């Protein structure tokens, strides 16, 4: 069992009020590790969007909002993490950052390393989507394609080289970089600023649980500083095919490893949880939920009808809203929408060309979509 390192701060020097619309990473510096402006790509300050029309279940009556992290510089929540971790690499004098990632983390690390003038090696899998691969290459990083189980030995091998710096996990049980969850805390600050209070619950698509813990820690700090009245319940959502955090909570243990059964929810397709995630659920009174792939697909389609195109993993978090049980506080529910669906592999559709006259266009719409114009 490996346990993560934890950061503490001089909370007496922290801001004494919420920051409204001010950029989170600058305004909340007293609650964050020392950050270098050299890797500031403008992460954060993402919108809360009402999505009740896409939601089923009793929570709809409370009000449901999507925290749309696809508005970050590389279109995912990982930009918050890498603002902190690549800053750490820069301050440590590294010349190269290394990261193991199935997608969003690698893309974000590549972008932030490029901004900082550092090289970046991304250890990923041969089946990674074309969008992820092209983004990594566009940022000037160096992808290495390995089977999933070979990524961690490769990370540890690279760590033997001088001047490299890891911004992702090195241990069999996930610990991660100590600064990583600190970037995710800013999501809690922004949600509280936008709502004027902590929500009843935050529903989080969960892989290893770094974002889950970061959001929890951010709200815990706000509560302890007297800026919100309560901790929201943190609710994790994992693919039903895997769900290590769900299994760990049920078993009452710090972490478990599960079989890598296939799932379409690639962003959260982890086989081991982190102890941080157990702490977040336990101390917030939250609980874990599981979602099948077909449920995630239907929720993704429902979100798209609201003008929001999310990956399947955050779509699963929307699907999980109908499974939420007890909530201890009044107020709305916030779902974290971590990344755009544009990054996932798209099915190749055969297209039929229409003729440009009205009668032909009407026949085309009817035949292709059942739409009567």
């Amino acid at each position: 069992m490996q346990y993560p390192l934890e950061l503490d701060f001089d909370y007496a020097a922290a801001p004494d009020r919420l920051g409204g619309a001010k950029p989170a990473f600058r305004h909340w510096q007293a609650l964050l590790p020392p950050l270098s402006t050299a890797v500031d790509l403008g992460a954060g300050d993402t919108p809360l969007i009402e999505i009740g029309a896409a939601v089923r279940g009793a929570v709809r009556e409370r009000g449901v909002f999507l925290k749309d992290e696809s508005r970050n510089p590389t279109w995912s929540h990982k930009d918050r993490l890498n603002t902190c971790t690549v800053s750490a690499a820069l301050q440590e004098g590294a010349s190269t950052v290394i990261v193991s990632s199935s997608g969003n983390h690698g893309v974000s690390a590549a972008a932030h390393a490029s901004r900082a003038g550092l090289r970046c090696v991304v250890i990923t899998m041969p089946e990674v989507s074309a969008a992820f691969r092209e983004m990594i290459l566009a940022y000037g990083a160096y992808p290495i394609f390995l089977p999933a189980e070979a990524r961690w030995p490769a990370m540890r091998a690279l760590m033997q080289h001088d001047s490299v710096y890891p911004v992702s996990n090195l241990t069999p049980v996930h610990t991660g970089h100590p600064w990583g969850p600190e970037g995710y805390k800013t999501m809690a600050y922004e949600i509280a600023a936008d709502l004027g209070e902590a929500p009843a619950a935050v529903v989080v698509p969960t892989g290893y649980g770094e974002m889950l813990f970061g959001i929890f820690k951010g709200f815990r700090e706000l509560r302890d500083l007297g800026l919100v009245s309560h901790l929201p319940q943190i609710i994790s959502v994992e693919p039903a095919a895997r769900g290590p955090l769900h299994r760990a909570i049920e078993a009452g243990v710090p972490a478990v490893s599960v079989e890598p059964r296939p799932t379409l929810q690639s962003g959260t397709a982890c086989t081991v949880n982190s102890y941080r995630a157990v702490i977040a659920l336990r101390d917030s009174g939250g609980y874990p939920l599981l979602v099948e792939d077909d449920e995630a697909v239907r929720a993704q389609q429902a979100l798209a009808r609201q003008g929001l195109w999310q990956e399947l993993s955050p779509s699963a978090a929307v699907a999980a809203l109908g499974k939420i049980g007890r909530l201890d506080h009044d107020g709305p529910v916030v779902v974290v929408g971590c990344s755009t669906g544009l990054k996932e592999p798209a099915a190749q559709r055969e297209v039929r060309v229409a003729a440009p006259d009205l009668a032909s266009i009407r026949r085309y719409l009817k035949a292709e979509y059942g739409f009567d114009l």
Side-chain angles (χ1 to χ4, degrees), residues 328-342:
D328 299 334
H329 302 284
D330 294 331
V333 172
V334 174
V335 182
V336 178
C338 15
S339 181
T340 172
L342 289 170

Side-chain angles (χ1 to χ4, degrees), residues 52-130:
V55 172
R56 295 181 179 180
V59 296
R60 179 175 178 173
E61 303 304 316
R62 290 175 165 269
V64 183
F65 296 86
L66 183 83
K67 181 65 169 167
D68 189 2
E69 292 294 288
S70 72
R71 313 296 181 92
N72 280 306
T74 71
W75 310 339
S76 89
H77 62 301
K78 292 291 186 181
D79 291 332
R80 295 182 188 264
L81 176 148
N82 281 297
T83 297
C84 291
T85 58
V86 178
S87 286
L90 193 65
Q91 292 178 200
E92 291 293 327
S95 64
T96 303
V97 299
I98 56 173
V99 56
S100 173
S101 170
S102 61
N104 282 317
H105 193 174
V107 166
S108 178
H112 285 78
S114 180
R115 178 77 170 182
L118 305 177
R119 294 172 298 188
C120 180
V121 175
V122 180
I123 302 170
T124 190
M125 298 169 291
E127 62 269 26
V128 70
S129 79

Side-chain angles (χ1 to χ4, degrees), residues 54 56 292-304 312 315 319:
R56 295 181 179 180
E292 300 285 351
D293 284 350
D294 60 341
E295 297 175 298
V297 169
R298 288 194 295 272
Q300 186 183 52
Q301 293 166 347
L303 276 174
L312 276 175
S315 300

Side-chain angles (χ1 to χ4, degrees), residues 39 56 90 106 110 116 119 128 146 170 183 252 257 278 306 328 369:
V39 289
R56 295 181 179 180
L90 193 65
R119 294 172 298 188
V128 70
L146 291 171
L170 291 167
S257 180
V278 172
Q306 296 295 304
D328 299 334
Y369 311 111

Side-chain angles (χ1 to χ4, degrees), residues 100-367:
S100 173
S101 170
S102 61
N104 282 317
H105 193 174
V107 166
S108 178
H112 285 78
S114 180
R115 178 77 170 182
L118 305 177
R119 294 172 298 188
C120 180
V121 175
V122 180
I123 302 170
T124 190
M125 298 169 291
E127 62 269 26
V128 70
S129 79
F132 285 130
R133 184 180 65 246
E134 295 307 313
M135 290 181 78
I136 290 168
L137 289 167
Y139 292 131
Y142 306 96
I144 299 175
F145 301 99
L146 291 171
E149 66 276 8
R151 289 181 295 163
W152 312 123
M155 284 284 290
R156 289 191 288 272
L158 281 168
M159 279 301 296
Q160 298 172 39
H161 193 283
D162 292 339
S163 78
V164 303
Y165 192 94
V167 294
S168 67
N169 200 56
L170 291 167
T171 53
V173 175
H174 192 275
T175 52
H177 192 290
W179 284 20
E182 303 303 310
Y184 291 136
K185 293 192 311 187
T186 58
M187 297 174 67
Y189 307 157
E190 292 170 19
I191 291 168
D194 285 344
L195 295 178
E197 176 58 281
V202 182
V203 184
V204 186
T206 301
Y208 294 122
E210 283 186 297
M211 176 168 64
L212 185 90
F213 178 77
I215 293 170
F216 158 76
K217 184 177 180 182
F219 277 113
R220 186 179 66 189
E221 290 173 338
L222 294 178
R223 183 203 61 186
D224 292 349
L225 289 168
L227 299 174
V228 299
S229 64
H230 65 271
L231 275 178
Q233 288 169 262
I234 307 297
I235 298 173
S236 64
V237 180
E238 299 171 283
R242 301 196 180 187
L245 177 58
H246 188 278
R247 187 89 57 87
I249 293 291
E250 282 194 331
V253 297
V256 301
S257 180
V258 300
E259 291 297 316
R261 293 196 296 159
T263 176
L264 297 176
Q265 300 170 57
S266 59
T268 49
C270 294
T271 58
V272 65
N273 66 288
S274 71
Y275 182 58
R276 281 185 173 126
V278 172
I279 294 294
L281 296 193
R282 185 192 70 194
D283 289 4
S284 72
Y287 43 88
L289 296 173
L290 300 175
V291 168
E292 300 285 351
D293 284 350
D294 60 341
E295 297 175 298
V297 169
R298 288 194 295 272
Q300 186 183 52
Q301 293 166 347
L303 276 174
R305 297 299 182 271
Q306 296 295 304
L308 298 164
W309 185 239
Q310 289 281 319
E311 279 187 350
L312 276 175
S313 297
S315 300
V318 174
L321 291 168
K323 305 182 181 191
I324 288 179
R326 63 174 178 83
L327 290 178
D328 299 334
H329 302 284
D330 294 331
V333 172
V334 174
V335 182
V336 178
C338 15
S339 181
T340 172
L342 289 170
K343 292 180 179 179
E344 290 181 316
Q348 294 297 314
R349 302 177 187 271
E350 184 178 346
V351 297
R352 188 166 68 88
V353 178
D357 61 278
L358 179 59
S360 295
I361 290 171
R362 293 184 65 183
R363 286 195 299 271
Y364 182 96
L365 291 171
K366 178 69 173 176

